[in-house]
């Protein structure tokens, strides 16, 4: 088992629950929390982050700032190592770094 940080869907509090179980109870408001559902929700929330990083990274790349584009690509890949757009940004960002022909 391991504890995961989950947002209570009822009161929005940050709670820690055992991710090997199906459900648990919020220690603040006492409502029942579906743990797997809550974990999936967190992943969906991160998709918004990926989109943000991607648009900032692409803007940086267009401005010729390869280092910054790479930094954002790395942030995307930390969240989702399979993200194709993240890898693409990382590659094109690397190509824009000093010493490379952009
Ligand atoms: Zn709660």
């Amino acid at each position: 088992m391991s504890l995961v940080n989950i947002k209570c869907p009822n009161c929005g509090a940050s709670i820690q629950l055992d991710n090997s179980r199906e459900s648990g109870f919020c220690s603040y408001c006492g409502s029942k929390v579906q743990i797997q559902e809550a974990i999936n929700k967190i992943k969906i929330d991160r998709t918004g982050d990926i989109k943000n990083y991607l648009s900032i990274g692409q803007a940086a790349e267009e401005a010729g700032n390869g280092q910054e584009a790479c930094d954002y690509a790395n942030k995307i890949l930390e969240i989702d190592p399979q993200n194709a757009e993240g890898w693409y940004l990382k590659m094109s960002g690397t190509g824009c770094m000093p010493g490379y022909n952009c």
Side-chain angles (χ1 to χ4, degrees):
M1 70 164 253
S2 63
L3 290 174
V4 284
N5 281 312
I6 288 172
K7 208 171 187 181
C8 170
N10 187 47
C11 69
S14 223
I15 48 175
Q16 284 199 325
L17 292 170
D18 176 359
N19 72 355
S20 63
R21 301 174 86 163
E22 208 170 291
S23 61
F25 291 93
C26 172
S27 49
Y28 294 91
C29 68
S31 65
K32 197 175 183 186
V33 180
Q34 297 298 324
I35 296 172
Q36 293 310 319
E37 213 170 275
I39 292 172
N40 287 337
K41 223 174 192 169
I42 293 171
K43 283 185 188 156
I44 291 166
D45 283 353
R46 300 296 276 171
T47 319
D49 287 351
I50 291 176
K51 273 192 187 152
N52 287 341
Y53 290 148
L54 197 61
S55 59
I56 303 168
Q58 281 167 343
E61 191 216 332
E62 274 167 29
N65 194 337
Q67 179 64 55
E68 202 177 318
C70 257
D71 289 346
Y72 282 106
N74 286 335
K75 281 182 205 275
I76 294 166
L77 296 171
E78 271 173 30
I79 300 169
D80 179 10
Q82 311 289 328
N83 191 289
E85 286 171 305
W87 280 110
Y88 183 78
L89 182 63
K90 192 179 166 80
M91 278 188 331
S92 54
T94 309
C96 275
M97 279 189 189
Y100 291 86
N101 278 326
C102 197

